[in-house]
Structure formats: C-alpha cells, structure tokens
Amino acid sequence: MDVSEIIIPGDTPGTEWRLPVLRFKGRDPKAPKTYIQAALHAGELPGTVLLHFLCERLRQAESQGGIAGDITIVPQANPIGAAQSHFGELQGRFDLGSRTNFNRDFPLISIVDRATLIEDLDDYPATDRLKRQLLHMALGADLVLDLHCDDESLQYAYIDEAFWPEAADLAAALDMEAVLLSDGESSAFEEAVGFAWKYEVPGERRPRLPGKLSVTVELRGKRDVDPMLAKKDADGLWHFLATRGIVGDEKPAATAFSGPAVPLDNVEIIRTPEGGAVLFHRDIGERIAEGDRLVTIVTRPGQPGGSIELTAPQDGLILTRTSDRLVRRRGDLMKIACDEPSKASRKAGTLEN
C-alpha cells in the first residue's frame, strides 16, 4: 500500500489541509480501476471505519498478489469540513465560508477535459481545490463509490439509471434495503463523475455506461459507527470487488438484490408544516399504508389543539427519519420509498441541499 498526501493550502496565512490517499497497485492493467472515498460530509463516519477494515484485508491480499485492479482509497475526503466546529458541534456538511454543501458544485466536465481539473489550482479557494482534486482522482477509475450515511436510516444507495440494473451486485453485496434511481442532474460528486462519462463526446449524451459505476452509498445513520457493522460492510464491499474481478483469484457468484429500486420521483419526503417537538409513531424499516399516522408535532404544549398529526400520503417503506426531536417549520422528518410517484413537485437532481 502506497500512502501519500495531497496538500491543500488554506485561504488564510499559516493554514493548510492534508488529504491522505491510499493506493493499492493491481497486477492486471486490464482489470477495472476502483476509487472509493468516505466522509465527504466530514461527520459521516460509517464509511471511514468500513475502509479502515477493508484496507486491512487489501494489504493482506496485496502481499499475496491478490489485487487485480488498481484501487485508490480516500478514507477522510474532507479535512476542511472536519476542522469546522461551531459552539462545540462539528459542521461538516456545509462550508462555513461559502455556505455551500461539500457534496455540491463539483465541476461538470467531459472526461476528455479531466486534466483541466488540476490546472491553475492557485486560482481556486481551498474548498474548490479539494473538490477538483477528488474528482480528478475519481475520473481515473472505472468504479467510483462515495460512502455517506443519513441521519437515522436503512442501508440504501443513490444510483444513476445509467448504471442500473448492472449495479444490483453492489446493492446485494452491501445488503442494501433499497435503491433510489437518480436522474444524474445535479452537481453532487457521484453525478459529476457520471456526467463526465456520459458526455465523453461533449454535447452527446450516452444513456448507458457499461463497465462503469458511480454511486452514493448511504451506510445507515450517523450513529451507526460500530465495529461489527463496519466489518460486515467491509466484507460486503470485498465481495463486490471480488465479483467484479478486482480482488481475489476467482469471481464468486453474485447474490441477488431483493429490495425496491425506485426513481427519486417515488420518494415521499415528510415535512413539518410548523415547528415543534417531534413524536414519531413509526420507525425506519417499517412498511406503512396510505393514511397511517406517522408523526405528531407538538406545536403549543398544553393548549387545546396544540399538536398536528401527519399521515402517510401513500404506501411505502420508511427509509430515513431525522434524529432531531425539535424541528423548524418545513423541516424534513422522513423519506419514504414508494411504488408510485409523489404528488409533490421535485426539481431535477438530488432530493436535498
């Protein structure tokens, strides 16, 4: 394993950021190349600990000549966000300087322009330099996995329709309980990777991308940083890499994915009409029917009519819910994967900011 660091100068005198990069050299130049990163939202750590255990296995395989394709791993992809703390709480989702989500505003370029990402880096602030170098590394691979987590959540993934159903082997290997099929219309990291491949010929969109994969994996919730879960997920990711012929001597049989795979339009986001205390009546992983009571919002405690009941707009599977128990008006409470499209309008791209 080769360990190097990318140095990102800070935007004020005397500061800089260090981005560790772990590389495993494959024995077969024709085998798929893999790029995996975690903690782009710096406080989302299940992927970081997964990669800690995966690298133990990769080092052993490397010593035995068991790695076919090059593997690049960035276990802590956002040192800038990891250093942001406000009144003792980590603020790793948004850049405090620009107020931009660290997983948005990645450059949307063609793969033929990959080299331009790291040209004239001194012209960019630190957050943009970070994003451009992460994207540059990812575009040198064939398979790209961006490991995140949600708040309170099942294991699921965002996968561009251009990679489905070929990517069902990843969903099965990681024991995902659902897949959300995205439209590739945002500037999030995994969609910027897919954009570069789709527009290999600028202006001409490729609808299918055989042999490629770019995916956001949601490894349960923020508090699911657990050694047993991390080892289980590392074993699952190893199985995926083996199935794709990247590690091991033989390809194991791929297991089947049995969960729902639904378009983003089929995701109901339950939002609170007023602020208040949250009382959940249903948990993640439960299947609910239209009209089921989901949440009570206590808006004026102790007063007549001081609470609001929220019910399910249609049948579905509860994927996520917020860990907050005091919410603001229009705050997100739940995501529900459904068989039918939501009646709520959705802009093209990702579900959240």
Side-chain angles (χ1 to χ4, degrees), residues 276-299:
V278 179
L279 300 174
F280 283 116
H281 301 290
R282 306 301 292 266
D283 203 350
I284 58 173
E286 293 189 42
R287 294 192 175 273
I288 46 91
E290 179 180 351
D292 283 352
R293 184 174 63 158
L294 300 177
V295 190
T296 299
I297 308 296
V298 180
T299 57

Side-chain angles (χ1 to χ4, degrees), residues 8-11 17 80 121 124-133:
I8 301 170
D11 298 328
W17 314 104
I80 299 174
L121 283 176
Y124 298 95
T127 52
D128 288 344
R129 291 170 71 115
L130 173 66
K131 291 176 182 180
R132 296 178 80 87
Q133 291 185 92

Side-chain angles (χ1 to χ4, degrees), residues 154-159 170-171 176-182 190 215-218 262 264 319:
L154 302 181
Q155 189 114 305
Y156 71 101
Y158 292 95
I159 302 179
L170 174 66
M176 292 179 190
E177 297 184 68
V179 166
L180 303 185
L181 299 174
S182 62
E190 53 101 356
V215 56
T216 293
V217 176
E218 301 284 357
V262 303
L264 293 188
L319 278 183

Side-chain angles (χ1 to χ4, degrees), residues 1 24 49-67 71 73 230-242 246-250 252:
M1 181 179 73
F24 297 86
V49 294
L50 179 164
L51 292 177
H52 175 71
F53 292 112
L54 179 65
C55 284
E56 287 184 0
R57 194 160 182 179
L58 290 174
R59 286 194 297 272
Q60 180 179 0
E62 186 180 43
S63 69
Q64 299 169 352
I67 296 180
I71 301 173
I73 291 180
K231 290 176 182 178
K232 175 180 181 293
D233 292 338
D235 288 343
L237 194 47
W238 173 274
H239 183 83
F240 165 72
L241 294 173
I246 297 162
V247 298
D249 296 326
E250 297 181 3

Side-chain angles (χ1 to χ4, degrees), residues 118-195:
I118 55 173
E119 293 176 356
D120 302 317
L121 283 176
D122 289 341
D123 294 342
Y124 298 95
T127 52
D128 288 344
R129 291 170 71 115
L130 173 66
K131 291 176 182 180
R132 296 178 80 87
Q133 291 185 92
L134 292 174
L135 185 58
H136 181 266
M137 285 189 288
L139 289 178
D142 303 294
L143 310 176
V144 176
L145 281 67
D146 191 15
L147 306 183
H148 287 253
C149 68
D150 213 299
D151 201 343
E152 295 178 2
S153 176
L154 302 181
Q155 189 114 305
Y156 71 101
Y158 292 95
I159 302 179
D160 192 314
E161 293 172 343
F163 307 114
W164 192 259
E166 291 83 357
D169 58 348
L170 174 66
L174 283 175
D175 201 20
M176 292 179 190
E177 297 184 68
V179 166
L180 303 185
L181 299 174
S182 62
D183 44 28
E185 295 297 323
S186 85
S187 59
F189 174 80
E190 53 101 356
E191 296 197 342
V193 173
F195 184 96

Side-chain angles (χ1 to χ4, degrees), residues 84-352:
Q84 293 185 157
S85 185
H86 185 65
F87 295 131
E89 291 192 6
L90 178 66
Q91 303 293 322
R93 186 174 184 84
F94 296 92
D95 173 36
L96 295 184
S98 66
R99 294 180 288 182
T100 301
N101 189 322
F102 280 109
N103 194 22
R104 300 294 184 274
D105 288 357
F106 280 86
L108 299 178
I109 65 164
S110 169
I111 186 65
V112 298
D113 297 319
R114 178 190 173 215
T116 65
L117 288 168
I118 55 173
E119 293 176 356
D120 302 317
L121 283 176
D122 289 341
D123 294 342
Y124 298 95
T127 52
D128 288 344
R129 291 170 71 115
L130 173 66
K131 291 176 182 180
R132 296 178 80 87
Q133 291 185 92
L134 292 174
L135 185 58
H136 181 266
M137 285 189 288
L139 289 178
D142 303 294
L143 310 176
V144 176
L145 281 67
D146 191 15
L147 306 183
H148 287 253
C149 68
D150 213 299
D151 201 343
E152 295 178 2
S153 176
L154 302 181
Q155 189 114 305
Y156 71 101
Y158 292 95
I159 302 179
D160 192 314
E161 293 172 343
F163 307 114
W164 192 259
E166 291 83 357
D169 58 348
L170 174 66
L174 283 175
D175 201 20
M176 292 179 190
E177 297 184 68
V179 166
L180 303 185
L181 299 174
S182 62
D183 44 28
E185 295 297 323
S186 85
S187 59
F189 174 80
E190 53 101 356
E191 296 197 342
V193 173
F195 184 96
W197 292 335
K198 291 176 189 176
Y199 292 95
E200 181 176 2
V201 178
E204 296 183 15
R205 186 180 188 275
R206 299 168 60 194
R208 307 295 299 174
L209 297 167
K212 299 286 189 180
L213 176 62
S214 180
V215 56
T216 293
V217 176
E218 301 284 357
L219 294 165
R220 306 179 191 85
K222 286 185 179 179
R223 295 183 63 84
D224 293 318
V225 184
D226 175 270
M228 298 305 293
L229 289 176
K231 290 176 182 178
K232 175 180 181 293
D233 292 338
D235 288 343
L237 194 47
W238 173 274
H239 183 83
F240 165 72
L241 294 173
T243 301
R244 291 291 181 110
I246 297 162
V247 298
D249 296 326
E250 297 181 3
K251 292 185 181 181
T255 54
F257 170 63
S258 59
V262 303
L264 293 188
D265 286 339
N266 289 31
V267 177
E268 297 281 5
I269 300 182
I270 307 302
R271 294 185 171 95
T272 175
E274 294 186 33
V278 179
L279 300 174
F280 283 116
H281 301 290
R282 306 301 292 266
D283 203 350
I284 58 173
E286 293 189 42
R287 294 192 175 273
I288 46 91
E290 179 180 351
D292 283 352
R293 184 174 63 158
L294 300 177
V295 190
T296 299
I297 308 296
V298 180
T299 57
R300 295 176 298 281
Q303 300 183 38
S307 64
I308 300 170
E309 302 290 327
L310 303 180
T311 59
Q314 60 169 308
D315 299 357
L317 172 69
I318 300 176
L319 278 183
T320 75
R321 70 181 194 181
T322 182
S323 61
D324 294 333
R325 295 301 183 265
L326 176 64
V327 295
R328 300 166 63 92
R329 187 189 305 272
R330 300 301 296 164
D332 292 352
L333 299 173
M334 285 180 166
K335 288 199 286 283
I336 304 172
C338 304
D339 292 334
E340 302 295 329
S342 170
K343 294 180 180 178
S345 61
R346 183 184 71 84
K347 295 180 180 179
T350 52
L351 288 172
E352 301 162 327

